[in-house]
């Protein structure tokens, strides 16, 4: 049973065997494997496309594959399904959720919106399909500023669910968006003390951070951006060492692109020396193989919900061109 083997790391020969089977199934089934940068290296290396949330949505919109295999979390696979109602969208583990998406339950959000009429509703892509359906436009961390600036200066805006990303956008754009009080458990826990210690020990290192981190962390950063933007920065920038304030999975592409550089992930607390997103890391090679063989678990959404959630996503994709 797949649940019995999911937490055991397969041996090297088994891993090779599994990756070969996955590659074979991709061809046979005309499936595309999309992976986020927070996935384990073995999955990233097998993917047809590895990217940030915006890149993954753009890729999902343009694919000719019959099946989309999403190695990421639930809201990402859901977005791919909303953009491709006629395709089968599967993900290795249906429990791969997101603490940030979970921090915004639709019932409470509806009440919140009712209390504040006359606002445009802009939601970060890290939210459920129900929240997307209640929104006017979606954004990711790579296009949020651009999307806010597409609205007139005096437009009242509600931003959900990430208060950290929201306050960062407010600080960049000079807007005063009303923020939903949600956050990501992986980024929100990162502490200034850990960064200051790393900075003291590595005075030659630059600090880079994802905008889901708190404002006090972002204030210490030399560069702030989405996962793709952070990777690109380390490729183009001249420094040799980086303190990285985001999830560990990102180090794989950073090291691949710049093997001569050093990357130091900011530990989330004294006991745990890693910032692994527990949801992203639910996807394993055996589960990926099982999901491709069985074509399950599948993302299923009602046509009505797809119809409502699609509009704000397409608006974002249009504004991102
Ligand atoms: P990116 O769009 O920057 O990849 O962010 C996704 C995410 O979940 C960050 O926690
Ligand atoms: Fe959600 Fe945070 Fe994990 Fe990203 S890192 S998927 S925001 S819990």
């Amino acid at each position: 049973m797949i649940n019995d083997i999911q937490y055991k790391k397969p041996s090297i020969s088994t891993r090779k065997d599994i990756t070969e089977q996955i590659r074979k199934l991709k061809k046979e089934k005309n499936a595309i494997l999309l992976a986020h940068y927070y996935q384990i290296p073995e999955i990233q290396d097998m993917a047809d496309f590895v990217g940030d949330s915006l890149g993954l949505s753009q890729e999902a919109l343009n694919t000719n594959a019959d099946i989309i295999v999403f190695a990421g979390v639930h809201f990402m696979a859901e977005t791919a399904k909303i953009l491709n109602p006629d395709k089968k969208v599967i993900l290795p583990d249906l429990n791969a959720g997101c603490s940030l998406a979970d921090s915004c339950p639709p019932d409470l959000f509806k009440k919140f919106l009712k209390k504040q009429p006359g606002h445009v509703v802009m939601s970060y892509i890290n939210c459920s399909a129900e929240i997307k359906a209640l929104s006017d436009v979606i954004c990711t961390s790579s296009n949020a500023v651009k999307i806010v600036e597409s609205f007139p200066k005096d437009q009242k805006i509600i931003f959900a669910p990430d208060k950290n990303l929201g306050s960062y956008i407010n600080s960049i754009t000079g807007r005063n968006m009303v923020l939903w009080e949600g956050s990501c458990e992986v980024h929100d826990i990162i502490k200034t003390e850990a960064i200051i210690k790393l900075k003291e020990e590595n005075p030659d290192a630059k600090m880079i951070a994802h905008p889901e981190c708190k404002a006090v962390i972002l204030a210490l950063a030399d560069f702030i951006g989405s996962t793709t933007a952070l990777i690109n920065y380390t490729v183009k920038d001249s420094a040799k060492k980086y303190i990285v304030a985001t999830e560990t999975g990102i180090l794989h592409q950073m090291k691949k692109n710049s093997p001569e550089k050093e990357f130091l992930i900011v530990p989330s607390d004294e006991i745990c020396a890693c910032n692994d997103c527990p949801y992203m890391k639910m996807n394993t090679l055996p589960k990926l193989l099982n999901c491709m063989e069985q074509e399950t678990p599948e993302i299923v959404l009602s046509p009505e919900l797809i119809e409502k959630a699609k509009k704000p996503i397409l608006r974002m994709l249009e504004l991102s061109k």
Side-chain angles (χ1 to χ4, degrees):
M1 261 170 51
I2 200 72
N3 280 343
D4 292 332
I5 52 171
Q6 68 200 22
Y7 293 112
K8 284 186 213 149
K9 192 166 181 167
S11 67
I12 293 173
S13 59
T14 314
R15 275 208 311 264
K16 210 169 153 252
D17 186 41
I18 293 177
T19 51
E20 269 164 22
Q21 289 181 64
I22 291 172
R23 286 205 170 95
K24 199 164 152 260
L25 283 170
K26 273 204 294 160
K27 260 199 191 153
E28 279 172 17
K29 297 189 180 220
N30 187 27
I32 186 171
L33 174 59
L34 304 179
H36 187 264
Y37 291 123
Y38 296 164
Q39 292 296 291
I40 56 169
E42 293 88 340
I43 292 183
Q44 290 191 39
D45 287 344
M46 246 182 329
D48 298 294
F49 179 81
V50 192
D52 67 0
S53 307
L54 178 63
L56 289 163
S57 322
Q58 287 165 331
E59 207 62 31
L61 182 71
N62 296 323
T63 185
N64 292 322
D66 295 317
I67 300 180
I68 300 175
V69 188
F70 217 112
V73 289
H74 192 269
F75 76 82
M76 295 178 170
E78 219 175 41
T79 305
K81 180 67 185 177
I82 293 164
L83 291 170
N84 293 280
D86 301 329
K87 290 192 201 301
K88 191 175 257 188
V89 178
I90 52 178
L91 83 162
D93 191 325
L94 209 52
N95 294 317
C98 166
S99 60
L100 182 49
D102 289 347
S103 69
C104 193
D107 285 0
L108 294 182
F109 192 55
K110 263 187 213 162
K111 286 184 190 153
F112 181 77
L113 296 184
K114 264 202 183 137
K115 280 190 201 153
Q116 291 158 112
H119 288 69
V120 155
V121 182
M122 174 166 159
S123 296
Y124 187 32
I125 198 161
N126 298 36
C127 66
S128 65
E130 288 81 4
I131 298 296
K132 288 185 175 79
L134 294 167
S135 307
D136 296 299
V137 68
I138 301 303
C139 73
T140 74
S141 52
S142 60
N143 58 21
V145 169
K146 192 175 178 186
I147 291 182
V148 167
E149 286 181 336
S150 73
F151 293 110
K153 274 254 176 251
D154 58 351
Q155 175 65 59
K156 291 198 264 179
I157 305 173
I158 285 176
F159 184 79
D162 190 3
K163 60 177 178 185
N164 293 336
L165 176 62
S167 80
Y168 172 65
I169 307 166
N170 275 344
S171 73
I172 298 281
T173 60
R175 307 275 175 133
N176 188 22
M177 299 190 296
V178 177
L179 308 180
W180 178 264
E181 281 281 315
S183 62
C184 154
E185 67 182 41
V186 179
H187 290 86
D188 205 47
I189 203 174
I190 296 177
K191 304 236 171 15
T192 39
E193 294 80 2
I195 294 178
I196 290 166
K197 189 167 175 274
L198 276 176
K199 277 186 171 236
E200 280 170 2
E201 289 165 358
N202 303 277
D204 52 333
K206 278 193 176 165
M207 204 288 257
I208 58 174
H210 194 279
E212 284 174 23
C213 296
K214 285 188 177 120
V216 281
I217 304 294
L218 299 180
L220 297 170
D222 296 293
F223 182 76
I224 298 161
S226 75
T227 50
T228 297
L230 293 176
I231 293 167
N232 290 344
Y233 179 79
T234 61
V235 170
K236 291 187 188 131
D237 183 63
S238 60
K240 293 277 171 281
K241 208 189 258 188
Y242 298 89
I243 297 166
V244 184
T246 188
E247 210 268 359
T248 47
I250 199 167
L251 296 188
H252 182 55
Q253 298 296 331
M254 286 180 173
K255 287 179 187 164
K256 252 175 118 173
N257 286 316
S258 312
E260 75 291 0
K261 297 190 179 185
E262 199 181 332
F263 300 97
L264 309 164
I265 201 88
V266 182
S268 44
D269 64 41
E270 271 145 34
I271 309 152
C272 165
C274 58
N275 294 351
D276 279 325
C277 168
Y279 312 101
M280 286 280 183
K281 297 301 194 269
M282 278 183 187
N283 296 328
T284 59
L285 283 179
K287 282 196 234 176
L288 178 57
L289 175 59
N290 184 63
C291 127
M292 292 191 65
E293 278 172 346
Q294 308 296 325
E295 298 183 19
T296 183
E298 187 185 352
I299 299 285
V300 182
L301 297 170
S302 75
E304 298 75 32
L305 184 56
I306 288 180
E307 177 79 14
K308 284 187 196 149
K310 196 173 186 170
K311 275 188 205 137
I313 303 174
L314 290 179
R315 189 168 174 192
M316 167 189 82
L317 292 172
E318 194 53 41
L319 287 167
S320 305
K321 278 181 185 163

